[in-house]
Amino acid sequence: MSFWEVLVTAFVVAMLLIPLQIKKFRDRDMVVPDYYKNSVRYVPTSGGLSILLAFYSAVFLAILGAFSAQITLPELVSVFIIALYGLFGLLDDLIDIGRATKVVFPPVFTLPIAFVASKAEVPLVGEVGGLLLFIIAPVYVMVVANLVNMHSGFNGMASGLTAILLAFLLLKSLTSGKGSTLISSAMLGALLAFLYFNWYPSKIFDGNVGAFTMGSTVGLAIVLGGFYVSGFVMLLPHTANFLLYVYWRLMRKIKPNDERYKIVKFGKVRKDKSIEAPNPYTLKWVLPYYFKMTEKQVVLSMYALTTVFCVIGFFVPY
C-alpha cells in the first residue's frame, strides 16, 4: 500500500471538513476559552471529530480497494479500537467521565488487539507474546492515550507532538517492514491538516475526542509493530510530564498548605505574551517557569525535545 495515497487522502478530507466544523460549532456556541492570550477569545472544540472522519475516509477507501493493497486483520481491529477511543473521548467532552473511568474502560476497549498484536523481544523481559500480550498490549495503548491527553494545553501542542511521533513510527514501519503503515499514515495526514488550524492562534481545539483518538493511534502503531522499547523511548517526554504530575500530587498530600503545590489548572500570560507558569510541575511549564518564553516558543521547544527522543527511539531495534 502506498502510504502517500492514504496520507494525502486523509489530509485533503480533513482540510475540507475542519473549516465546516469551525463554522458549525461557532454558530452553535460550542466553544471554550483560550487561556493564554492577552484578550479573551473563544475557540471551537472537539476538533477530533474531523480528525476521526478524515482518518476513516482514508481507511474506508483502503477497505474498498482504492489503494494498492488490502487492509490487514490487525489494521481492521485497530481502526475499530480507535473508534471506541474516539467515542470515549467525545463522551468525556460532553459529560466529564472522571479519571477512574479513564483507567478502567480503555484497556477493555483495547483487549482485541492482543489477538493480533506483534510479538517482540524486550530486554530483561524476554518475548512479549501469548498471554502476556493480553496484559501488556491493552495497558500500553491505554497508557499512551492518557499520556497524550495529559501532555497538552497550548495551541498546536498535542497535535504537533503526535504528528511527530506518528511520522517516526511510520518511518520505522516502512524501514523495518513491521507494524501498520495504514493507521499511521491515515492519522498523520489528518493531523497535519488539523495542525494547520490548531497552530497559534488556534482556530479549533482537539478536545478529549481528539486526544484519545491521537493517543490510541500512537499506542496501536507501537503495539502492532512490536516497538515496545523504542516506543517507550519516543514517549519519554510524555512520561516525564506524567511523573512531574505524580510528584506534584504527592507533594500536595504531604504539604497541603504549601502555596507551591496549590491547585492551578492554567497559567497566565503577561503583556509581552510570555507565559507566567504557576509552577514547574508539568513539562510545558518547566521552561516558562524559569525563563521568559511565549506560547509558541514553548510549543516549539516541546517539538524539539520529542523529535530528539524520536530519533533515538528510531534506532532502538525493539
Side-chain angles (χ1 to χ4, degrees), residues 1 45 87 103 133 178 200 269:
M1 179 186 296
T45 188
L87 291 172
V103 173
L133 275 176
K178 297 188 295 183
Y200 184 98
V269 61

Side-chain angles (χ1 to χ4, degrees), residues 266-281:
F266 299 99
K268 298 177 182 178
V269 61
R270 303 183 183 95
K271 289 184 179 180
D272 62 359
K273 296 185 179 180
S274 63
I275 299 296
E276 184 180 333
N279 60 59
Y281 304 124

Side-chain angles (χ1 to χ4, degrees), residues 282-308:
T282 183
L283 196 59
K284 68 176 182 288
W285 283 350
V286 172
L287 287 175
Y289 185 80
Y290 295 105
F291 308 99
K292 270 200 170 186
M293 298 181 71
T294 64
E295 183 176 2
K296 284 194 288 187
Q297 289 172 332
V298 175
V299 172
L300 289 172
S301 68
M302 293 296 100
Y303 286 2
L305 182 64
T306 289
T307 299
V308 168

Side-chain angles (χ1 to χ4, degrees), residues 102-164:
K102 292 177 186 177
V103 173
V104 173
F105 283 95
V108 178
F109 299 157
T110 321
L111 197 58
I113 201 64
F115 291 98
V116 292
S118 296
K119 297 180 180 179
E121 286 291 332
V122 177
L124 304 178
V125 176
E127 184 182 78
V128 175
L131 291 176
L132 199 57
L133 275 176
F134 284 87
I135 300 172
I136 291 181
V139 171
Y140 202 111
V141 177
M142 180 271 290
V143 168
V144 172
N146 278 287
L147 289 177
V148 170
N149 191 26
M150 290 179 69
H151 196 25
S152 58
F154 289 150
N155 291 183
M157 187 163 154
S159 57
L161 291 175
T162 308
I164 292 168

Side-chain angles (χ1 to χ4, degrees), residues 23-74:
K23 184 179 184 307
K24 292 290 186 184
F25 275 45
R26 281 203 178 279
D27 291 345
R28 288 164 173 76
D29 201 31
M30 299 174 70
V31 295
V32 294
D34 187 353
Y35 287 96
Y36 296 102
K37 304 297 180 292
N38 289 127
S39 57
V40 179
R41 62 191 298 267
Y42 290 86
V43 179
T45 188
S46 297
L49 287 170
S50 290
I51 295 173
L52 264 177
L53 289 171
F55 171 80
Y56 279 104
S57 296
V59 167
F60 287 150
L61 284 173
I63 292 172
L64 293 172
F67 304 130
S68 53
Q70 294 296 313
I71 186 170
T72 64
L73 177 60

